[in-house]
Amino acid sequence: MNLFYLSKSNKAALFFAMTLLPSSLVYSQTVKDTVPTEKKIEEVVVIGYGTQRKESVTGSVVQVKGDALREVPSANITQALQGRAAGVEILQSSTKPGATMQIRIRGTRSLTGNNDPLIVLDGIPFAGSLGDISSSDIKSLDILKDASATAIYGSRGANGVILVTTNRGNKGQKARFTYNSFNGVQTLFSKYPMMDGPAFAKLRNYATPAPTGTQTSTSPLYSTSGDENLNTNTDWQSLYYKPAMITSHDIGVSGGTEGGNFNVGLSYFKQDALVPLQNYERFALRMAVDQQLGKRFRVGFTSNSNYVESEANGINPGAILGYSPLASPYNADGSLKTVMSTAGNIDQTWIYTRQRLESLGEKYVDETKAFSSYNNMYGEISLPLNGLKYRLNVGLDYRTSNSGNYTGVGVFNTNATAPSSAGRGNNQTYHWVLENLLTYDRTFGKHKINAVALYSAEGNRYVSTYLSARNVPADFFQYYNLGQSPQADIQVRPEDQTYYQNGLISAMGRAMYTYDNKYMLTATLRADGSSRLAQGNKWHTYPAISAGWTISNESFMENVKAINLLKLRAGWGQTSNQAVPEYSTLGRMAVTPYNFGNSNTTGVYVTEAPNPNLGWEYSKTQNYGLDFGLFNNRISGSVEYYKTHTYDLLTSKVLPTTSGLARILENVAETENKGVEVALNGSVFSNPDGFSWDVGVNFYTNRNKILALASGTQKDEGNLWFVGHNINAIYDYQYVGLWQAGDPYQNILEPGTPADVIGSIKVLYTGGYNADGTPTRAIGPADRQIFDTAPDFQGGFNMRFAYKNFDLSTVGAFQKGGILISTLYGSASYLNRMTGRGNNVDVDYWTEDNTGAYFPRPGRHLSGDNPRYSSTLAMFDASYLKLRTITLGYNFDKDLMESLSITSLRLYCTVTNPVVLFSPYHKFSGMDPEPNSLGNQNQAVNGYQQRQLVIGTNNPSTRNYLIGVNLTF
């Protein structure tokens, strides 16, 4: 039974299994390669409101060093984080320059609330995104995954926490200058697999409706006329894409005295897109100062400010993909056409080409300018009691964004006199945090105690406005003075004006106890009060506890030389999520215009009933882990199992029509996430003066499913939620092949003439059968199936080879199983209509001479504009194995550099997204097998939820070639 289009070869995966994985378990016995003395793990990780030796951590924490992130030169460090940490899934939601990425730590919990992790920058909750932080600034990322680790951040940490620690100067360090830069070119990874002229002409000629009555043949559904010609073969994508530049420059100065340190830096990044007019540009300024005042006082200040400009985000290749390759964009005299007519003059289209778009000048603008400033200050005092400190943290953040768009007369419209239009938006975010921390840290012989008490307050305010206008008097006005338009053409919609304010007050206590470096215990208690929730439900207190046992430090392990670290961990905790949108407890209202007598006015009506009982979404998590280090820590890693039960989830309950309201928001649903995570790191060869080889790999699984929905229902088809299945499940028919001549019961299961049905999509029938074996009914909605889209497992790997001054590193990722949605081949994008009206993805379709094809016969058994059941063609096996980067570097000789007063100098070249080693989808289409769009974006018709990431008609994936330098003196 064919559910997906599957590859017949898995040689790359076999290579990975036989070559990569065993290498992380190699232990050499040669004298040259053996580490002479035992290495103790003394790494320090950030755990929130403090640090801890990695060996003493009892929660689930993974650290990624800044040097590792910089192995993947990129605009956004989330791209560099992909595949680096087990249990952390990072997916593209857009391929536009500067786009943020979707981060999920141990799965998706909430149905309607925010599932993004909390980001903490230098100890203060961060109002921005990881894309606002330059990779050159980062010392480390520490990711808190389980409730025992995240409980200290309360409701803000319900979806995991990413702690970002930036570089700072060191005590007594002489002033040091650093310069990091990379420049390069972005090239097309692959075109969208559209038909060329001859292939499209052949499909159009074959796409004929089924004969009826006494007919013996029919004409094609659409004729070749207007601006089309059978001798034309236009590659519209070649007229649209162009290699684009990418550049990054970062300079920094850091240093310190005996009493303090400083770090100041400036960075610049610019990325153009392969599509016309589109680019992203970012300027960033950072400052960090720490100063000791006497013996007891210490103060510090950190500031990160960004200015970002992005242009033409509304441009994408979706339009050109459907252009007929039989049409030319040029007139007979070589000038560009503005509009073309195709498909028997049925379709009139404004022509998008790079040349046309770049010639618009002031007739088109679409830009966003944003400024962000994230600032935190602290003051710390050592109190008279030894080990006791008080610290005050103050965070002040401000973000503003101004967007504007203008489209001139006739631009993007087949009507040359279509009126101009413009819009202008503005929003501001104000965020502040005040934290009072009391810390006690002492060691008494074999006993070590660390205790933290916190009282904090946090506030957010957001304001957004947008207005639009038509018939702007002149192009040079663009969107800057909409008041120049006729008053009747200026529109200010209530739904485009937004304001909200919320606050959070918290108290927290955490105690960590270690005895003899063998037994560890951590207990946390946190209480949060949220302004979003209803009276009586604003406050909640939740506990967390975890314990660890370092077995390798026991006396009975002294003679087991092969084991350097063996530690068991177990934890349990509760967290919550204040997922309620602001003011939801009061209900929802909307406005509508209506006539009152002879005048126009605006009315207000209730759309969602108020619910004074709305409360928190709760999660309870169990976590069990094993950490190990073997053979002088040549091999290290961890294995973890977790289970998270999330309940009282917010969903809308449909109300009876007699209530006069459509729905009410309630805490009624439940979900579960559970999985296994494995991380391995190995030093295969370790010779600083010769050859070294280091390997890292991580695997993880996540089994996500819905346990309950509103009112005990088992499914919510509108939202694609089904009890017992994962949150991103698909509800559709199951493809089983194509109808062939002689197939039994075709006239019952798929009513229609054989001439129309033969060659069309056959889906699974789930109904009953009569006594004579005939089906009891035709195929219909009851035959739809629920498909879980989650992969069986996924992960990443990295390898680094070094020989003397040269190093070669690679970073990769993989996924096994799951469903990839490619809207190009389904019914949502209108690129696989199989009718010949617009261009079609290049597929192998059914003909009388090719009955074994996977795709249906063109022009037959249609449902609207697409073949019946063609949504099933969008599902593919989501497995892949790919390299994300390959980097070759050279470190100049230290002796030579010292003579030039240079501390270090490294040159490197990198290729990103170089190769897909294995992927059924890539083998079939040639495309990158990872999603590039939100589920409801870049489609002709809506068919998927926003949360379901898909491959749509977004910017094409790129392969980048970069040259970089790292200089320190």
Side-chain angles (χ1 to χ4, degrees):
M1 184 181 297
N2 282 331
L3 173 58
F4 307 120
Y5 189 96
L6 298 174
S7 171
K8 299 179 181 179
S9 173
N10 199 357
K11 295 179 181 179
L14 184 62
F15 166 81
F16 178 76
M18 296 182 64
T19 307
L20 251 181
L21 296 185
S23 67
S24 66
L25 303 176
V26 171
Y27 172 61
S28 174
Q29 297 276 351
T30 63
V31 175
K32 184 177 181 180
D33 188 41
T34 302
V35 177
T37 59
E38 180 180 331
K39 289 192 279 187
K40 299 293 290 183
I41 298 179
E42 296 292 348
E43 292 183 69
V44 173
V45 297
V46 181
I47 56 173
Y49 303 115
T51 60
Q52 193 174 22
R53 288 190 313 120
K54 186 176 181 179
E55 189 175 349
S56 300
V57 172
T58 56
S60 182
V61 182
V62 61
Q63 184 178 81
V64 182
K65 296 288 189 181
D67 290 341
L69 295 172
R70 285 183 282 276
E71 291 180 7
V72 183
S74 62
N76 193 325
I77 60 173
T78 49
Q79 295 172 328
L81 189 58
Q82 282 183 296
R84 285 286 192 175
V88 182
E89 181 183 56
I90 300 176
L91 296 174
Q92 293 181 130
S93 58
S94 173
T95 43
K96 297 182 186 297
T100 59
M101 302 185 75
Q102 176 182 281
I103 306 174
R104 295 292 179 264
I105 297 178
R106 290 185 167 180
T108 301
R109 299 162 182 79
S110 180
L111 297 180
T112 59
N114 190 339
N115 285 285
D116 295 332
L118 170 70
I119 300 172
V120 177
L121 177 63
D122 289 325
I124 295 291
F126 187 50
S129 70
L130 286 177
D132 294 325
I133 308 170
S134 171
S135 60
S136 296
D137 297 343
I138 295 176
K139 180 180 180 181
S140 67
L141 293 182
D142 295 88
I143 303 169
L144 314 184
K145 297 187 289 185
D146 73 325
S148 65
T150 65
I152 56 170
Y153 288 104
S155 59
R156 296 172 303 180
N159 301 313
V161 181
I162 299 177
L163 304 173
V164 182
T165 303
T166 59
N167 293 313
R168 308 180 87 86
N170 296 317
K171 180 179 178 180
Q173 171 193 315
K174 293 182 178 180
R176 181 174 61 191
F177 174 87
T178 60
Y179 173 66
N180 300 299
S181 174
F182 63 83
N183 298 271
V185 61
Q186 305 165 95
T187 63
L188 188 66
F189 181 85
S190 69
K191 292 180 180 178
Y192 283 87
M194 307 306 298
M195 289 183 172
D196 62 11
F200 177 66
K202 181 178 179 182
L203 179 142
R204 174 179 281 180
N205 185 60
Y206 192 73
T208 57
T212 58
T214 59
Q215 290 177 308
T216 57
S217 64
T218 55
S219 300
L221 291 170
Y222 300 100
S223 62
T224 300
S225 59
D227 288 294
E228 294 177 297
N229 188 299
L230 290 176
N231 295 320
T232 300
N233 185 10
T234 301
D235 184 347
W236 291 100
Q237 294 186 76
S238 294
L239 296 175
Y240 201 66
Y241 307 137
K242 179 182 177 182
M245 299 302 296
I246 181 171
T247 184
S248 175
H249 302 277
D250 184 282
I251 58 175
V253 179
S254 62
T257 64
E258 289 302 312
N261 57 69
F262 68 90
N263 187 311
V264 180
L266 179 68
S267 65
Y268 171 76
F269 177 86
K270 184 176 182 183
Q271 180 180 6
D272 295 323
L274 271 63
V275 302
L277 306 182
Q278 198 174 95
N279 65 69
Y280 172 85
E281 192 172 20
R282 182 184 67 208
F283 300 84
L285 174 67
R286 65 186 184 276
M287 294 181 289
V289 178
D290 301 283
Q291 181 62 47
Q292 188 75 31
L293 302 176
K295 293 183 178 181
R296 294 187 179 275
F297 293 93
R298 185 173 180 84
V299 296
F301 172 78
T302 302
S303 177
N304 287 271
S305 297
N306 297 291
Y307 175 74
V308 172
E309 288 191 7
S310 59
E311 296 185 2
N313 278 326
I315 298 291
N316 66 61
I320 65 163
L321 298 180
Y323 287 175
S324 169
L326 302 178
S328 171
Y330 301 107
N331 294 305
D333 61 0
S335 61
L336 276 173
K337 296 177 183 176
T338 301
V339 177
M340 66 179 175
S341 176
T342 59
N345 295 319
I346 292 176
D347 290 331
Q348 305 289 321
T349 309
W350 195 92
I351 301 176
Y352 288 79
T353 63
R354 173 174 290 275
Q355 187 178 354
R356 170 63 67 196
L357 288 170
E358 291 179 344
S359 70
L360 290 176
E362 292 184 335
K363 292 181 179 295
Y364 172 73
V365 64
D366 175 16
E367 61 186 15
T368 300
K369 300 176 181 179
F371 173 76
S372 306
S373 183
Y374 310 104
N375 308 280
N376 64 72
M377 298 161 282
Y378 75 87
E380 186 177 87
I381 179 172
S382 298
L383 299 174
L385 180 61
N386 192 16
L388 187 63
K389 293 181 179 180
Y390 168 76
R391 180 180 175 116
L392 173 67
N393 291 329
V394 179
L396 300 171
D397 303 327
Y398 173 73
R399 304 179 68 190
T400 183
S401 175
N402 294 279
S403 62
N405 61 82
Y406 172 73
T407 304
V409 174
V411 175
F412 308 148
N413 200 303
T414 56
N415 179 3
T417 62
S420 60
S421 62
R424 182 166 188 169
N426 175 266
N427 64 70
Q428 294 91 33
T429 300
Y430 307 85
H431 173 252
W432 61 267
V433 179
L434 185 68
E435 296 180 330
N436 296 273
L437 284 160
L438 195 62
T439 304
Y440 181 69
D441 191 2
R442 285 292 305 277
T443 299
F444 304 93
K446 294 183 179 181
H447 306 273
K448 181 174 177 59
I449 299 173
N450 180 282
V452 177
L454 167 111
Y455 178 78
S456 70
E458 178 180 0
N460 290 278
R461 184 160 65 96
Y462 177 80
V463 182
S464 177
T465 61
Y466 182 83
L467 64 156
S468 61
R470 290 160 54 91
N471 291 306
V472 178
D475 289 333
F476 60 80
F477 278 117
Q478 295 190 336
Y479 63 86
Y480 295 108
N481 193 344
L482 301 187
Q484 294 289 342
S485 299
Q487 293 300 303
D489 289 330
I490 299 175
Q491 186 178 45
V492 183
R493 302 191 309 168
E495 57 266 37
D496 291 336
Q497 322 307 314
T498 304
Y499 171 85
Y500 67 75
Q501 189 169 358
N502 62 63
L504 186 74
I505 297 178
S506 308
M508 182 273 293
R510 180 185 66 194
M512 297 185 294
Y513 171 73
T514 302
Y515 175 73
D516 200 21
N517 289 328
K518 299 176 186 177
Y519 314 108
M520 290 79 70
L521 182 67
T522 301
T524 306
L525 189 68
R526 170 111 182 187
D528 279 343
S530 173
S531 67
R532 299 175 186 236
L533 303 173
Q535 292 292 337
N537 294 318
K538 291 182 181 296
W539 282 91
H540 181 66
T541 301
Y542 27 84
I545 188 169
S546 59
W549 176 27
T550 307
I551 304 172
S552 54
N553 287 345
E554 296 286 358
S555 58
F556 58 79
M557 295 291 291
E558 289 181 356
N559 296 322
V560 184
K561 302 300 183 182
I563 299 178
N564 307 105
L565 173 65
L566 187 63
K567 184 178 73 174
L568 292 174
R569 293 180 284 108
W572 174 91
Q574 185 189 69
T575 58
S576 61
N577 186 2
Q578 50 170 339
V580 177
E582 288 79 7
Y583 317 120
S584 292
T585 58
L586 306 177
R588 295 277 181 183
M589 305 184 77
V591 297
T592 184
Y594 70 99
N595 295 328
F596 186 76
N598 295 323
S599 61
N600 296 326
T601 187
T602 300
V604 180
Y605 65 99
V606 179
T607 58
E608 189 172 89
N611 184 352
N613 298 314
L614 283 181
W616 301 86
E617 295 185 343
Y618 300 108
S619 291
K620 291 181 179 179
T621 299
Q622 308 169 44
N623 191 84
Y624 307 95
L626 171 67
D627 301 326
F628 56 88
L630 308 174
F631 310 121
N632 290 333
N633 291 319
R634 295 287 294 280
I635 300 173
S636 62
S638 64
V639 180
E640 296 195 67
Y641 169 80
Y642 66 89
K643 182 177 180 180
T644 300
H645 176 212
T646 306
Y647 55 99
D648 284 354
L649 290 172
L650 292 164
T651 56
S652 292
K653 177 182 177 181
V654 178
L655 297 175
T657 54
T658 54
S659 69
L661 297 172
R663 58 189 66 246
I664 185 172
L665 193 64
E666 292 187 334
N667 297 92
V668 291
E670 297 180 45
T671 62
E672 178 185 83
N673 285 275
K674 59 183 178 180
V676 175
E677 299 168 354
V678 179
L680 292 172
N681 292 285
S683 180
V684 185
F685 298 102
S686 182
N687 183 357
D689 298 320
F691 178 69
S692 298
W693 180 12
D694 297 316
V695 178
V697 64
N698 68 80
F699 300 85
Y700 60 95
T701 65
N702 178 264
R703 299 291 179 262
N704 166 267
K705 66 178 178 180
I706 298 173
L707 300 181
L709 290 170
S711 304
T713 58
Q714 294 298 299
K715 61 182 180 180
D716 180 342
E717 293 183 20
N719 288 305
L720 297 181
W721 292 327
F722 307 93
V723 173
H725 298 271
N726 64 52
I727 291 175
N728 290 325
I730 298 173
Y731 191 48
D732 205 346
Y733 297 93
Q734 181 172 322
Y735 176 99
V736 296
L738 302 178
W739 285 104
Q740 306 292 348
D743 282 354
Y745 314 130
Q746 173 262 305
N747 60 325
I748 300 174
L749 293 174
E750 196 63 45
T753 65
D756 186 48
V757 174
I758 300 305
S760 70
I761 298 171
K762 180 195 291 188
V763 297
L764 182 67
Y765 170 68
T766 62
Y769 293 85
N770 297 311
D772 61 356
T774 58
T776 58
R777 59 170 175 80
I779 291 172
D783 294 301
R784 289 176 294 175
Q785 308 289 305
I786 302 170
F787 300 100
D788 287 318
T789 59
D792 299 328
F793 64 84
Q794 56 196 126
F797 60 92
N798 58 86
M799 290 191 294
R800 184 180 184 276
F801 305 91
Y803 179 73
K804 295 186 177 180
N805 292 355
F806 289 93
D807 60 79
L808 175 67
S809 61
T810 184
V811 178
F814 56 86
Q815 177 173 303
K816 171 63 172 66
I819 297 177
L820 173 67
I821 304 170
S822 176
T823 63
L824 311 180
Y825 293 94
S827 55
S829 68
Y830 277 22
L831 295 179
N832 196 20
R833 289 182 285 185
M834 308 293 289
T835 61
R837 180 170 178 176
N839 200 7
N840 210 90
V841 284
D842 195 0
V843 296
D844 180 31
Y845 52 85
W846 190 97
T847 67
E848 289 86 347
D849 299 324
N850 187 31
T851 58
Y854 186 84
F855 289 86
R857 176 172 183 161
R860 301 289 172 92
H861 208 52
L862 301 177
S863 176
D865 293 317
N866 290 282
R868 188 180 296 273
Y869 312 121
S870 61
S871 59
T872 63
L873 301 175
M875 292 188 284
F876 290 81
D877 182 351
S879 301
Y880 70 84
L881 168 64
K882 64 182 293 187
L883 298 183
R884 295 199 186 280
T885 61
I886 300 175
T887 298
L888 176 65
Y890 178 78
N891 296 279
F892 284 81
D893 187 81
K894 290 184 178 181
D895 294 335
L896 173 62
M897 292 299 99
E898 287 179 0
S899 66
L900 299 174
S901 299
I902 295 175
T903 304
S904 64
L905 175 61
R906 179 174 184 266
L907 299 179
Y908 65 89
C909 55
T910 296
V911 55
T912 66
N913 208 19
V915 63
V916 176
L917 299 173
F918 166 75
S919 163
Y921 181 74
H922 173 72
K923 183 176 182 180
F924 173 68
S925 67
M927 297 180 64
D928 191 324
E930 295 189 78
N932 66 11
S933 302
L934 297 172
N936 61 351
Q937 288 182 331
N938 305 308
Q939 299 177 39
V941 294
N942 289 330
Y944 302 97
Q945 299 292 315
Q946 178 176 335
R947 66 180 184 272
Q948 296 171 310
L949 301 186
V950 303
I951 292 180
T953 57
N954 211 327
N955 289 19
S957 294
T958 62
R959 179 181 288 117
N960 305 335
Y961 299 91
L962 309 171
I963 297 177
V965 60
N966 305 124
L967 171 65
T968 303
F969 62 85

